[in-house]
């Protein structure tokens, strides 16, 4: 808590700011590492005469997204980066109430009172949250705060890994096939919609028939129930033996070696989580002979400049798709702040479809 208060006092410093801006705020904190019941609803102390640091703004949070990294942080496996809030929460939506709005990163001409959604390094489970201005995006026209709060973490992640890192359809490749492991997750429903809207075929794996149906309705050309079918055989059959061009892997472990067997020549695998284990065995001969690329990334520790570049790409290429309703947020359930325990339990059950 001391670290959080020092951060707030440091960051909220601006000669034109209003004193007593925050009269205490509701928040959910991680009381200790462990199961979901360690999440505690609290009221943080008053902050008087707040002031803003360079390139950062204060958002009055109307909604915050729940993501699997929040669960990992609560369990003690994914600590907040140095200087970040100790509170969980990586994405928020609300309105700007103050900050450094003259900063060079104000690409979208955002101002006090503007509705935004933002990717943050922590602190989202609260009534107020500090965000780098470069990581704020205007709420797409027609979307509610709840819908907007579901966007940043998954949309930043999908764009960075599918299009920037794996170069789906870029470099003159044209239409390609994307395989998403975990198609009904927040990442999955985002990847299905963006890749499909950009003219690519998306194959997904899911754990039950309800999720299978949902993914097909979102635009997947093939949904594979991995509990009843072999995804390697199914992908190769659909592609006439050519394989998928790009695979987004949230499982790793034993899956990684199998994925090589349904990856096209010059194919790219991007590992963004390792729910199936951190250790994998792969066929190095195939990697060399077929010019395969295996890479991976984590977004949270990357620089503000890196994330700001993603924000600008999303505004240019994806926000028009949201505003035209060609793609849409997929929200499974909404909880009050005080029910964060139940939200985490649902996340860990993997019974949800979307966010």
């Amino acid at each position: 808590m001391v670290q959080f208060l020092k951060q707030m006092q440091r960051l909220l410093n601006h000669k034109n700011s209003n004193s007593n801006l925050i009269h205490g705020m509701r928040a959910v904190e991680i009381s200790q590492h462990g199961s979901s019941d360690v999440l505690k609803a609290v009221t943080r102390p008053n902050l008087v005469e707040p002031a803003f640091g360079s390139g950062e703004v204060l958002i009055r949070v109307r909604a915050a997204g729940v993501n699997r990294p929040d669960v990992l942080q609560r369990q003690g496996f994914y600590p907040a980066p140095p200087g970040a809030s100790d509170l969980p929460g990586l994405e928020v939506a609300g309105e700007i109430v103050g900050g450094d709005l003259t900063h060079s990163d104000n690409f979208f001409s955002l101002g006090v009172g503007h509705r935004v959604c933002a990717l943050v390094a922590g602190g989202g489970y609260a009534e107020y949250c500090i965000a780098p201005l470069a990581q704020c995006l205007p709420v797409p026209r027609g979307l509610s705060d709840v819908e907007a709060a579901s966007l940043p973490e998954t949309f930043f992640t999908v764009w960075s890994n599918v299009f920037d890192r794996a170069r789906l359809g870029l470099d003159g490749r044209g239409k390609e096939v994307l395989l998403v492991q975990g198609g009904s997750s927040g990442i999955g429903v985002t990847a299905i919609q963006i890749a499909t809207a950009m003219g690519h075929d998306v194959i997904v794996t899911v754990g039950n028939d309800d999720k299978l149906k949902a993914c097909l309705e979102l635009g997947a050309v093939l949904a594979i129930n991995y509990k009843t079918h072999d995804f390697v055989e199914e992908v190769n059959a659909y592609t006439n033996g050519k394989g998928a061009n790009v695979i987004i892997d949230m499982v790793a472990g034993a899956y990684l070696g199998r994925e090589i067997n349904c990856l096209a020549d010059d194919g790219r695998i991007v590992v963004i989580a390792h729910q199936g284990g951190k250790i994998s065995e792969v066929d190095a001969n195939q990697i060399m002979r077929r010019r395969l690329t295996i890479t991976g990334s984590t977004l949270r520790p990357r620089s503000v400049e890196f994330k700001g570049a993603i924000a600008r790409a999303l505004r240019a290429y994806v926000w028009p798709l949201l505003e035209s309703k060609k793609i849409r947020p997929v929200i499974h359930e909404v909880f009050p702040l005080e029910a964060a325990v139940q939200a985490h339990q649902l996340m860990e059950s993997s019974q949800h479809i979307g966010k």
Side-chain angles (χ1 to χ4, degrees), residues 77-139:
F77 301 129
Y78 195 46
S85 169
D86 63 301
L87 298 175
L90 301 178
E91 58 186 350
V92 298
E95 61 265 7
I96 294 175
V97 295
D100 178 14
L101 297 163
T102 62
H103 196 268
S104 60
D105 285 337
N106 195 0
F107 296 103
F108 310 126
S109 300
L110 299 172
V112 171
H114 284 189
R115 295 175 65 227
V116 296
C117 56
L119 182 73
V120 295
Y125 290 16
E127 291 183 300
Y128 291 88
C129 184
I130 297 163
L133 184 59
Q135 295 170 207
C136 294
L137 282 155
V139 172

Side-chain angles (χ1 to χ4, degrees), residues 1 27-42 44 69-80 85-89 123 125 300 340 344:
M1 181 179 293
V28 170
E29 62 185 20
I30 301 170
S31 61
Q32 63 185 60
H33 294 145
S35 60
S36 60
D37 58 6
V38 305
L39 296 173
K40 303 298 181 183
V42 299
R44 290 269 166 123
D70 304 344
V71 173
L72 295 175
Q73 179 176 341
R74 189 204 75 217
Q75 294 171 334
F77 301 129
Y78 195 46
S85 169
D86 63 301
L87 298 175
Y125 290 16
R300 193 177 192 182
H344 273 226

